Amino acid sequence: MAFKLADLPYAYDALTPYIDARTMEIHHTKHHAAYTNNLNAAIDGTEWADMSILDIFKNVSKASPAIRNNGGGFYNHNLFWENMTPNAMTTPSEQMNIHKAIMRDFGSFENFKKEFSAAAATRFGSGWAWLCVDNSDKLFITSTPNQDNPLMDIAEKKGTPVLALDVWEHAYYLHYQNRRPDYIEAFFNVINWHEVTKRYNDANEGASNF
Ligand code: MN3
């Protein structure tokens, strides 16, 4: 059983001007494809070959660096593509559960945005920023290095991710060069809040194991 690279849910140029078509195409067809292929090569013929990606993450401290890095790269990018859309609302609507949870746990959308943006901007080197749900249904923001994620047993803060932002330079350098804060600001124009609130609802329904 091999992991498969899924198509993007929109065209490569769909997120312009916030994320340019060339960045999206290289990111998907080169970077994400390489993580997927390298993950399959790393698990082939091993005890990891028939495990789900979530089971791999739960035991990843015992896995090789190739499985940890490429497993994260495979999964994190799937979340990232799906939590963006060309038809984005700039904020979640008041009816959405994610809106209510953001108000409850951050006080305001602006506070949430500030904290998430700071986590993304201050992650040193390559990594990811996350909005997650913990096992008591509370939202928290965290960041991880490299291709780690909050589902991994080695994560400093564990939870179910509902929003992911890739802050590797390959995600923004062609268009933004060293201006990571501008890329983070642009990301807020393409967030798929329908997908984020769906993940939040699913996490509430006992999908979380932490
Ligand atoms: Mn990437």
Side-chain angles (χ1 to χ4, degrees):
M1 187 193 76
F3 294 103
K4 286 204 174 66
L5 181 71
D7 292 336
L8 290 192
Y10 36 73
Y12 290 123
D13 64 358
L15 303 181
T16 52
Y18 305 110
I19 305 182
D20 64 285
R22 182 133 175 82
T23 295
M24 289 298 291
E25 184 170 1
I26 295 171
H27 202 170
H28 181 248
T29 64
K30 306 292 184 200
H31 294 275
H32 195 191
Y35 293 125
T36 307
N37 293 337
N38 293 340
L39 171 63
N40 287 328
I43 61 175
D44 187 38
T46 74
E47 56 180 325
W48 302 86
D50 292 319
M51 290 168 73
S52 71
I53 195 71
L54 295 181
D55 282 337
I56 290 176
F57 293 158
K58 279 181 203 161
N59 297 284
V60 86
S61 56
K62 302 194 263 310
S64 66
I67 293 176
R68 173 171 167 178
N69 292 332
N70 293 296
F74 164 74
Y75 182 85
N76 298 348
H77 288 88
N78 284 340
L79 287 187
F80 181 52
W81 308 139
E82 288 166 10
N83 69 214
M84 295 190 290
T85 174
N87 311 114
M89 303 177 286
T90 48
T91 58
S93 71
E94 288 186 10
Q95 294 76 31
M96 289 178 170
N97 285 336
I98 192 68
H99 170 84
K100 295 168 194 161
I102 286 172
M103 293 303 136
R104 183 192 64 203
D105 297 331
F106 298 100
S108 68
F109 187 83
E110 281 312 305
N111 281 345
F112 152 71
K113 183 177 174 183
K114 214 160 96 186
E115 197 181 316
F116 185 89
S117 300
T122 58
R123 163 50 54 191
F124 184 77
S126 298
W128 292 76
W130 306 94
L131 176 66
C132 297
V133 190
D134 71 13
N135 58 3
S136 54
D137 183 34
K138 197 170 156 30
L139 292 174
F140 68 92
I141 287 164
T142 188
S143 75
T144 53
N146 305 313
Q147 294 295 350
D148 288 355
N149 68 47
L151 292 162
M152 292 182 173
D153 66 350
I154 43 79
E156 228 169 89
K157 263 190 109 174
K158 293 189 207 36
T160 303
V162 297
L163 178 66
L165 175 58
D166 188 343
V167 295
W168 283 59
E169 282 190 347
H170 69 223
Y172 63 87
Y173 202 85
L174 286 180
H175 187 71
Y176 294 97
Q177 292 82 51
N178 61 324
R179 303 188 310 276
R180 190 193 286 188
D182 291 355
Y183 161 71
I184 296 166
E185 181 66 32
F187 173 67
F188 276 86
N189 293 289
V190 293
I191 297 175
N192 185 346
W193 287 108
H194 289 286
E195 176 64 21
V196 178
T197 202
K198 179 180 163 293
R199 288 179 195 165
Y200 175 73
N201 292 340
D202 289 348
N204 272 347
E205 281 161 21
S208 170
N209 292 314
F210 300 99

